[in-house]
Amino acid sequence: MMKKKATTSSILSLVLIAFCMISMAALNKEVNIENFGIPLTVSVPDGAEVKKGMMGGETDGVKLYNVEIKKGNFILDISMLDEEPDESLAETVASYKEIAAEDEDFSGFVTEEANGFIYEMTIDGDKSYGFDYILEKDNRQIEIAHGLSMEDFNMAEIKAMYAAAKSAH
């Protein structure tokens, strides 16, 4: 009986490791999204689909560019207003942190850095995670965040997407 428990535990450990390795998809392909209006190159998993996002458009003569990069549950949402920012990078990151913290399901910040953060949410007792990362380039602020999904993101998935965001240049 003890040997069976140890074997079952070993199998479950291997499955968990394999799942985490799949979730932490290798960021082995660089994608340039300048043709979508955003002057950015980002590392993503091979085979990720790049397409115009749902949030792009123009308001009062200012264009909002939006791109989605997706492979499975790896979903990056990248957006940029085509105007000079009216806040410093630190102020913008602080604003995004404030918005995240105001959500009724917000549990806390997991990672906090100068350009971004990972946060935890607890919904009906289940934990999920999200992130925001802001990059300044060509006198514009570019936001990189987790995209929309029908399923919550686990920590391994968010860490993989956050690593991709940090690779952006």
Side-chain angles (χ1 to χ4, degrees):
M1 181 71 169
M2 192 67 160
K3 188 174 184 176
K4 185 176 181 181
K5 281 186 179 180
T7 303
T8 302
S9 177
S10 296
I11 291 171
L12 288 175
S13 294
L14 289 173
V15 168
L16 181 60
I17 290 168
F19 176 74
C20 286
M21 288 174 69
I22 291 167
S23 296
M24 295 284 290
L27 305 175
N28 53 9
K29 179 181 178 185
E30 283 207 336
V31 174
N32 182 307
I33 59 171
E34 196 162 359
N35 59 330
F36 289 94
I38 301 175
L40 192 74
T41 298
V42 62
S43 296
V44 300
D46 194 31
E49 178 186 2
V50 181
K51 65 181 184 178
K52 184 177 177 183
M54 297 184 303
M55 302 305 292
E58 189 172 333
T59 304
D60 297 329
V62 178
K63 289 184 179 181
L64 171 64
Y65 296 99
N66 184 241
V67 173
E68 180 183 81
I69 301 175
K70 180 177 182 175
K71 181 178 182 180
N73 223 22
F74 177 98
I75 310 169
L76 289 182
D77 183 75
I78 304 173
S79 58
M80 180 191 81
L81 279 175
D82 194 19
E83 68 178 357
E84 290 185 20
D86 56 358
E87 294 181 317
S88 70
L89 177 66
E91 291 170 327
T92 300
V93 172
S95 295
Y96 279 94
K97 285 177 70 176
E98 187 176 312
I99 291 166
E102 288 175 351
D103 190 294
E104 66 183 36
D105 298 316
F106 176 79
S107 302
F109 293 105
V110 177
T111 301
E112 297 178 76
E113 298 176 328
N115 286 58
F117 55 92
I118 296 174
Y119 59 94
E120 180 183 273
M121 311 257 298
T122 305
I123 304 168
D124 297 329
D126 295 324
K127 293 184 185 306
S128 66
Y129 300 88
F131 81 92
D132 273 293
Y133 190 84
I134 311 298
L135 179 72
E136 285 188 329
K137 188 170 182 185
D138 297 344
N139 209 21
R140 301 289 185 263
Q141 289 183 347
I142 302 167
E143 179 198 6
I144 306 172
H146 60 283
L148 298 175
S149 175
M150 296 300 288
E151 299 177 24
D152 292 335
F153 294 109
N154 64 44
M155 180 57 93
E157 293 165 334
I158 287 297
K159 282 186 174 183
M161 289 183 267
Y162 192 72
K166 289 175 68 169
S167 79
H169 58 278

